[in-house]
Amino acid sequence: MALSASDLPAMYSLLTNSLSADESVRKPAEAALSQSESRPGFCSCLMEVITAKDLAAQVDVRLMASVYFKNGVNRYWRNRRDSSGISNEEKIHLRQKLLLHLREENYQIALMLAVLISKIARIDYPKEWPELFSVLAQQLQSADILTSHRIFMILFRTLKELSTKRLTSDQRNFAEISSHFFDYSWRLWQSDVQTILCDFSALAQCISSDASEQHRDDLYLICERWLLCLKIIRQLIISGFPSDAKCVQEVRPVKEVSPVLLNAIQSFLTYYSSFQTQHPKFWDFIKRACTKLLKVLVAFQTRHPYSFGDECVLPPVMDFCLNKISDPEHDILSFEQFLIQCMVMVKSILECKEYKPSLTGRVIDENRVTIEQMKKNISSIVGGVLTSLLPNERIVLLCNILIRRYFVLSASDLEEWYQNPESFHHEQDMVQWTEKLRPCAEALYIVLFENHSQLLGPVVVSILQEAMRGCPTSVTEITPGLLLKDAAYSAAAHVYYELSNYLSFKDWFNGALSLELSNDHPNMRIIHRKVALILGQWVSEIKDDTKRSVYCALIRLLQEKDLSVRLAACRSLCFHIEDANFSEQGFTDLLPICWGLCFKLIEEVQEFDSKVQVLNLISILIGRGNEVITFADKLVQFFQKVWEESSGESLLQIQLLIALRSFVTALGYQTPICYNLILPILQKGIDINSPDELNLLEDSLQLWEAILSNAPSMVPQLLAYFPCLVEVIERSFDHLQVAVHITEGYIILGGTEFLSMHASSVAKLLDLIVGNVNDRGLLSTLPVIDILIQCFPMEVPPLISSALQKLVVICLTGGDDHDPSKTAVKASAAAILARILVMNSNYLAQLTSQPSLMLLLQKAGFPAEENILLCLIDIWLEKVDNASSTQRKTFGLALSIILTLRLPQVLDKLDQILSVCTSVILGGNDDLTEEESSGDNMSSSRSQNEGPVPSKEFKRRQVKILGMFLSCQLRIRIKIKCARQQI
């Protein structure tokens, strides 16, 4: 039943009650609103509540109404099968009503309405709502400051929403909007910036604050409108024109707008220092405006690099940014976000591939200028401009400034480190480089060094040597020299791949880095942390004769009191152990102390990132260590404690599951000693009804596979978990590959006990998979069916008759001439049916005569008059060349049995059958050289020189040996058949 105007009081009452702190009042109201949201007229009632003049003061109720309105649009604006949705008549009414209520005084409600309009526009514009932009443009002509601000808020949200649509028609519509709206937006932006600067000038000259409060509010609203207009201009230029990096077509607005934006930045900065104390509200605006203007320029350069490379754009912008980085005013030094954007701009230009010389050649005798040639011409011009902007002297100066000023730890950095070393470590090394000044300076330095390594290599070494001379290893005070050494060490760490040409790591380590660790003064944590960083970064340059000393140094750093130093050492140790040239021999005797330090460290750290970092090291140690069994008891206790403490932290539990998988693999056949730990954890992880199922399921399944691969025998707890696998596959095939490996493990380890307990689950699982997955999924599943039949030839075929019927259909229908995967599927399916004939001949006859199979074949287009068995013989003969060695022998054995039938149709194929049988006899015995199982790529597989073969793998080989025995029988039977034919 539709809602109408008479329901407004009840709607208002429900919205009011939904805000109540009393749960007994709030819950029923929320339930009633939830039930009403699909009823016709619901959104119209909400719109009336939002726009009612007598409710203007009831901001919380109106805001709640706008939230429900937005949710209703998201769920019901599009036509849905399970709901009638919002009628076209109501949509028209709502669109009109929204455009009549533009002057919303409350900012939060105005923002929500702007989002609402943008969501509707994404669906309805331009077909159902063609007048949207024309109405907004018309309203702008006569709007006051507040209304124009709200309209620009709507325009920005709507353009942002429409710009994300990727269809060609949608992008064409957006380009049309850009062509109509750009000029007007740009003129208004220029007008507003003049108004703002004029009023700022008056404010700066006015010592006593005699401007009216209303005037200040209006000016601030103009400032906010101007920022919205800037965002709109950015959106129009970025999304309204194709990137000139692809089409090499000049984007005129970039050349027109960019110089004006730069002038605006320079103009605003003149008021930065004076407004900080006198007009803090506008000082905050200046910070936001300058940062946003630079971000827009960066976006222009990234999207339209060739247009931005024009002589009237790139040189002044680049020069401005370089000057602000190299020689900023004293007040600007504290304006970190602005300096970050200056560095981002310079970095973006320096690493822009469009400005670098192209390595492609030109076609000889080509008369017309190609796009590639145009790109090369522009790149050459811009390259010349950059060379003039960055002569060698300026490059060296910039490098020195980055290291000596921006790399140096400040007093606030040191205080933060002292207060919370753990937090400081993560903020310095894991934060996004565009969020903090020092990481941003480091990112710029790396790009600068990459572009000018031959010039800057000696410079960095010189700074490093100067810093080491100015601060000997015996220093204990935090002096400028010590901070410069820390900065120089950072510079050397970040560019190890080029600096190694100018600096011998062995000499540096023996002559300085190792000596730094002999000074245990607390202030030396600054240098010790940087030494840990260097030892990790330079891992590829450390030769065998130095590795042992470096390992000992990192172990020593792991014993420091400062958590930041220990975490840095932990990360660097990970790099060394993961390195392809890691020396296990040089680390073996350090392993016991390393385990102990890891256990101690994870107990002391508090933050999630720290725990993950230590767990990662433990997992890597387990994967590399050959003596894990020695520490198994301690590791079990450790994992048990950490798992209990990680309740509710899914990301940490994922890391734990990864470490446990490595642990299980390292233990091998001794895995049962940790079953009391891992089986309860596994049970929780594979429960699809668990709250953490989405996060833990994938890694839990991989742990499950590892447990089965290394289990010496099946235990009751593991046996009871199998139905969970069926539930996982019932939900989706996302984890099919690992599910197949797990199933194979149960078949091989569980044997008769497994089949008797879970026969119906096995049948259900295979029926779910066969016929419902693609060829790749089938190819991974069919070997499991083959092993199942090998192990239980009499019991299994009747059990999985539904899946086998589908295999018959796959064999006898559909072409595969040009599809290797379909050919492989047919060959594997045919081999399974051949195996059934060999090991359970009576059942294959029963299977091929089932009416349900005939029905399936007829639906697939198989002629009803054809003999299924004879068609299977044709498939065996046809696919023998596409089969593996074991499959060919199965085909040969099946065909030798077929000869005993003495059917005329079989005798007609005698030459082909004997040819196959002969080739099988002469083919030799290479069964054990092939991996027929679906476990070829199992994560738990290991090479022959890595210890004992996992139990599952050993038993799988026993199954193959049984196959070899049958092959011997095959040869005997074939020879007998051939002798009889000769007689």
Side-chain angles (χ1 to χ4, degrees):
M1 183 177 175
L3 296 171
S4 62
S6 61
D7 296 299
L8 279 175
M11 182 66 65
Y12 174 78
S13 177
L14 288 173
L15 290 167
T16 304
N17 291 341
S18 70
L19 295 165
S20 174
D22 186 350
E23 189 172 321
S24 62
V25 176
R26 187 180 70 253
K27 289 292 185 182
E30 289 175 344
L33 287 167
S34 179
Q35 291 174 357
S36 301
E37 65 181 8
S38 61
R39 293 172 63 184
F42 178 71
C43 289
S44 296
C45 283
L46 294 173
M47 191 70 207
E48 294 301 322
V49 172
I50 295 167
T51 59
K53 292 182 179 179
D54 57 331
L55 297 177
Q58 302 294 325
V59 174
D60 52 352
V61 176
R62 294 170 60 230
L63 182 59
M64 182 59 71
S66 65
V67 171
Y68 273 99
F69 191 179
K70 181 177 73 71
N71 293 339
V73 168
N74 287 336
R75 292 169 185 162
Y76 301 107
W77 198 270
R78 291 184 187 272
N79 293 326
R80 293 173 48 173
R81 294 178 182 176
D82 58 343
S83 170
S84 57
I86 301 172
S87 66
N88 289 331
E89 294 76 13
E90 188 176 1
K91 288 180 182 179
I92 294 171
H93 168 73
L94 291 171
R95 288 194 293 258
Q96 292 173 347
K97 192 81 173 177
L98 284 166
L99 292 181
L100 291 174
H101 188 72
L102 297 175
R103 200 182 189 282
E104 171 57 57
E105 294 190 2
N106 182 271
Y107 177 79
Q108 286 184 303
I109 296 175
L111 179 60
M112 193 64 71
L113 291 176
V115 173
L116 259 170
I117 291 172
S118 71
K119 297 292 184 185
I120 295 172
R122 182 180 182 87
I123 301 170
D124 287 358
Y125 181 84
K127 291 183 179 180
E128 305 297 331
W129 206 1
E131 73 279 9
L132 170 61
F133 289 103
S134 60
V135 170
L136 292 174
Q138 185 179 358
Q139 293 280 351
L140 273 174
Q141 306 301 322
S142 58
D144 59 13
I145 296 175
L146 177 63
T147 306
S148 62
H149 177 272
R150 300 314 192 223
I151 292 174
F152 270 97
M153 188 186 290
I154 293 168
L155 282 170
F156 168 63
R157 291 286 168 180
T158 304
L159 290 171
K160 186 177 181 181
E161 189 72 39
L162 293 178
S163 69
T164 61
K165 300 180 75 174
R166 301 264 60 92
L167 291 178
T168 304
S169 58
D170 295 322
Q171 293 181 342
R172 196 162 44 242
N173 288 332
F174 195 89
E176 187 177 345
I177 295 169
S178 297
S179 64
H180 291 144
F181 255 90
F182 174 74
D183 289 335
Y184 176 82
S185 301
W186 180 230
R187 285 195 303 271
L188 180 64
W189 186 92
Q190 290 176 296
S191 173
D192 276 354
V193 79
Q194 293 303 319
T195 302
I196 293 168
L197 290 172
C198 183
D199 284 356
F200 277 9
S201 177
L203 284 172
Q205 295 170 14
C206 183
I207 299 175
S208 62
S209 182
D210 57 0
S212 68
E213 191 67 30
Q214 182 61 46
H215 177 71
R216 289 170 179 274
D217 290 344
D218 287 348
L219 176 58
Y220 191 74
L221 204 55
I222 291 173
C223 291
E224 292 297 319
R225 181 181 71 186
W226 174 85
L227 269 178
L228 282 171
C229 196
L230 175 64
K231 293 177 181 179
I232 288 170
I233 290 166
R234 176 197 177 281
Q235 204 70 56
L236 293 174
I237 294 176
I238 295 298
S239 302
F241 299 87
S243 173
D244 66 4
K246 297 179 180 178
C247 62
V248 202
Q249 290 182 355
E250 180 185 275
V251 181
R252 178 188 58 81
V254 172
K255 298 169 65 175
E256 179 183 350
V257 170
S258 297
V260 184
L261 298 189
L262 181 61
N263 290 335
I265 295 172
Q266 294 169 322
S267 300
F268 282 132
L269 285 176
T270 60
Y271 301 102
Y272 182 81
S273 58
S274 61
F275 277 28
Q276 185 170 3
T277 55
Q278 296 178 15
H279 309 287
K281 188 175 182 180
F282 291 109
W283 178 68
D284 180 71
F285 164 76
I286 288 173
K287 290 200 297 181
R288 289 191 293 131
C290 291
T291 304
K292 187 63 183 178
L293 285 164
L294 267 176
K295 284 184 176 181
V296 171
L297 287 172
V298 171
F300 288 170
Q301 191 279 326
T302 305
R303 175 70 173 172
H304 305 298
Y306 292 130
S307 300
F308 193 88
D310 187 83
E311 61 180 4
C312 68
V313 181
L314 188 144
V317 172
M318 183 73 163
D319 192 56
F320 171 81
C321 292
L322 287 171
N323 286 335
K324 290 303 176 186
I325 295 168
S326 302
D327 190 23
E329 296 83 355
H330 179 72
D331 293 325
I332 300 300
L333 272 173
S334 62
F335 190 0
E336 287 199 1
Q337 285 303 313
F338 177 74
L339 290 173
I340 285 172
Q341 291 309 314
C342 288
M343 292 180 183
V344 171
M345 172 59 80
V346 175
K347 176 178 178 290
S348 181
I349 291 172
L350 288 178
E351 66 183 354
C352 179
K353 66 178 186 298
E354 284 77 18
Y355 299 159
K356 297 183 185 298
S358 174
L359 299 178
T360 56
R362 185 175 178 180
V363 179
I364 299 175
D365 297 331
E366 185 179 10
N367 295 321
R368 62 187 181 86
V369 179
T370 64
I371 289 180
E372 288 302 319
Q373 187 60 42
M374 291 169 63
K375 289 181 179 181
K376 288 177 70 174
N377 294 340
I378 298 172
S379 298
S380 177
I381 294 170
V382 176
V385 171
L386 288 176
T387 301
S388 64
L389 282 170
L390 280 169
N392 288 351
E393 298 80 13
R394 196 172 194 180
I395 294 169
V396 172
L397 175 64
L398 179 59
C399 178
N400 269 279
I401 286 171
L402 289 172
I403 296 172
R404 296 176 186 271
R405 179 186 300 161
Y406 294 106
F407 282 23
V408 175
L409 293 170
S410 65
S412 60
D413 291 327
L414 295 173
E415 178 62 23
E416 182 185 342
W417 188 346
Y418 177 77
Q419 294 295 334
N420 193 337
E422 190 178 351
S423 177
F424 176 81
H425 166 76
H426 295 299
E427 186 170 318
Q428 294 300 306
D429 291 337
M430 295 186 177
V431 73
Q432 279 285 339
W433 66 271
T434 54
E435 294 177 8
K436 291 284 185 178
L437 186 58
R438 187 179 301 102
C440 191
E442 290 170 349
L444 173 57
Y445 161 76
I446 291 169
V447 172
L448 186 70
F449 195 96
E450 286 175 349
N451 287 4
H452 308 281
S453 59
Q454 293 184 348
L455 172 65
L456 294 180
V459 173
V460 174
V461 172
S462 174
I463 296 172
L464 180 63
Q465 292 172 344
E466 175 196 336
M468 290 192 296
R469 285 194 304 268
C471 179
T473 56
S474 59
V475 166
T476 57
E477 297 297 322
I478 300 179
T479 62
L482 182 132
L483 295 177
L484 177 61
K485 184 199 278 190
D486 174 75
Y489 279 2
S490 290
H494 289 310
V495 292
Y496 63 92
Y497 45 88
E498 292 285 355
L499 205 60
S500 58
N501 296 324
Y502 305 93
L503 181 65
S504 165
F505 177 82
K506 182 179 179 180
D507 295 343
W508 185 26
F509 178 78
N510 292 330
L513 297 181
S514 61
L515 301 179
E516 303 281 11
L517 304 184
S518 63
N519 188 340
D520 293 329
H521 192 277
N523 287 336
M524 286 302 291
R525 72 188 190 278
I526 297 172
I527 300 300
H528 288 183
R529 178 177 176 276
K530 207 51 59 79
V531 171
L533 172 68
I534 291 167
L535 297 182
Q537 293 291 88
W538 281 70
V539 60
S540 60
E541 305 301 325
I542 300 174
K543 307 304 180 186
D544 290 342
D545 57 352
T546 317
K547 286 183 185 294
R548 168 72 182 184
S549 300
V550 170
Y551 298 159
C552 292
L554 286 170
I555 293 296
R556 180 170 182 170
L557 288 165
L558 266 180
Q559 300 175 68
E560 292 261 345
K561 293 180 180 179
D562 188 90
L563 278 178
S564 182
V565 176
R566 292 162 69 186
L567 288 168
C570 175
R571 184 185 54 190
S572 293
L573 201 51
C574 286
F575 293 155
H576 280 270
I577 298 171
E578 286 184 313
D579 182 46
N581 297 316
F582 172 65
S583 172
E584 291 189 19
Q585 184 179 358
F587 194 79
T588 302
D589 62 318
L590 300 174
L591 200 55
I593 189 172
C594 190
W595 284 122
L597 292 170
C598 288
F599 298 156
K600 184 180 178 183
L601 181 56
I602 205 164
E603 288 180 0
E604 294 182 23
V605 297
Q606 300 296 322
E607 296 192 12
F608 165 77
D609 288 332
S610 304
K611 293 178 181 178
V612 168
Q613 194 170 319
V614 182
L615 267 176
N616 186 40
L617 174 57
I618 290 171
S619 184
I620 293 168
L621 282 170
I622 290 171
R624 278 286 194 177
N626 291 326
E627 301 177 11
V628 174
I629 190 65
T630 309
F631 311 98
D633 291 340
K634 289 184 178 179
L635 282 167
V636 168
Q637 293 173 15
F638 162 76
F639 284 128
Q640 186 72 56
K641 184 175 183 294
V642 177
W643 181 265
E644 291 170 356
E645 293 174 353
S646 67
S647 178
E649 297 185 55
S650 297
L651 293 176
L652 182 58
Q653 290 182 335
I654 288 172
Q655 293 297 320
L656 275 165
L657 289 169
I658 293 170
L660 283 170
R661 181 157 45 106
S662 299
F663 185 40
V664 167
T665 304
L667 288 175
Y669 65 87
Q670 299 183 75
T671 300
I673 65 174
C674 67
Y675 276 1
N676 289 337
L677 164 71
I678 58 174
L679 293 186
I681 292 175
L682 176 63
Q683 186 175 17
K684 179 185 176 183
I686 61 178
D687 181 6
I688 63 170
N689 299 312
S690 168
D692 297 324
E693 175 269 335
L694 186 64
N695 298 314
L696 303 183
L697 181 59
E698 181 177 357
D699 293 286
S700 297
L701 288 172
Q702 291 177 358
L703 174 61
W704 195 358
E705 176 200 352
I707 293 169
L708 287 168
S709 296
N710 293 281
S713 60
M714 185 60 67
V715 295
Q717 299 100 305
L718 266 179
L719 202 57
Y721 294 166
F722 185 76
C724 295
L725 188 65
V726 182
E727 294 177 357
V728 170
I729 294 300
E730 277 184 313
R731 176 171 290 189
S732 78
F733 294 118
D734 292 344
H735 308 289
L736 177 63
Q737 194 71 37
V738 68
V740 166
H741 297 161
I742 291 169
T743 305
E744 182 184 68
Y746 272 100
I747 294 168
I748 293 173
L749 287 176
T752 306
E753 184 183 6
F754 162 67
L755 190 66
S756 62
M757 182 179 291
H758 297 298
S760 59
S761 295
V762 171
K764 185 177 182 180
L765 180 69
L766 295 178
D767 196 42
L768 280 170
I769 297 172
V770 179
N772 295 310
V773 298
N774 59 21
D775 293 335
R776 183 180 176 186
L778 270 177
L779 283 173
S780 65
T781 306
L782 293 178
V784 172
I785 299 177
D786 194 43
I787 286 180
L788 194 60
I789 293 170
Q790 285 185 61
C791 295
F792 312 102
M794 305 308 294
E795 300 89 343
V796 163
L799 182 66
I800 61 169
S801 60
S802 178
L804 293 176
Q805 287 182 4
K806 295 176 186 178
L807 294 186
V808 174
V809 173
I810 289 171
C811 287
L812 301 186
T813 61
D816 62 352
D817 294 340
H818 305 290
D819 192 335
S821 62
K822 289 190 180 301
T823 300
V825 168
K826 277 198 174 186
S828 298
I832 289 172
L833 296 172
R835 186 176 295 282
I836 294 174
L837 176 63
V838 172
M839 305 184 83
N840 192 347
S841 303
N842 292 336
Y843 180 76
L844 185 66
Q846 180 184 338
L847 176 68
T848 55
S849 62
Q850 288 176 353
S852 54
L853 174 61
M854 290 302 302
L855 188 60
L856 282 175
L857 287 169
Q858 287 174 15
K859 286 182 180 179
F862 183 76
E865 64 277 4
E866 292 285 349
N867 184 292
I868 296 175
L869 182 59
L870 292 176
C871 290
L872 283 176
I873 295 171
D874 290 335
I875 292 293
W876 294 334
L877 293 169
E878 178 187 339
K879 299 302 176 189
V880 69
D881 292 332
N882 305 114
S884 66
S885 172
T886 301
Q887 288 172 347
R888 285 196 298 273
K889 290 170 183 175
T890 307
F891 287 155
L893 187 51
L895 291 170
S896 69
I897 293 174
I898 289 295
L899 286 176
T900 63
L901 300 180
R902 297 184 178 274
L903 295 174
Q905 299 93 328
V906 172
L907 295 177
D908 291 341
K909 307 176 190 298
L910 182 62
D911 289 344
Q912 292 175 272
I913 292 173
L914 290 176
S915 175
V916 169
C917 293
T918 304
S919 65
V920 168
I921 293 173
L922 298 177
N925 182 23
D926 54 357
D927 286 346
L928 291 180
T929 65
E930 294 187 359
E931 288 295 331
E932 290 294 316
S933 169
S934 61
D936 294 348
N937 301 312
M938 286 168 44
S939 60
S940 56
S941 63
R942 59 180 75 183
S943 59
Q944 291 180 356
N945 60 354
E946 290 185 340
V949 176
S951 303
K952 173 186 162 185
E953 180 67 20
F954 177 74
K955 292 190 177 182
R956 187 171 60 185
R957 291 182 184 181
Q958 287 182 321
V959 173
K960 292 181 71 65
I961 290 171
L962 175 62
M964 286 180 60
F965 174 72
L966 293 175
S967 298
C968 293
Q969 288 186 323
L970 158 68
R971 291 184 177 85
I972 294 170
R973 295 180 68 172
I974 290 175
K975 289 176 180 178
I976 293 172
K977 295 291 179 187
C978 291
R980 288 178 178 175
Q981 292 293 334
Q982 291 176 355
I983 294 171

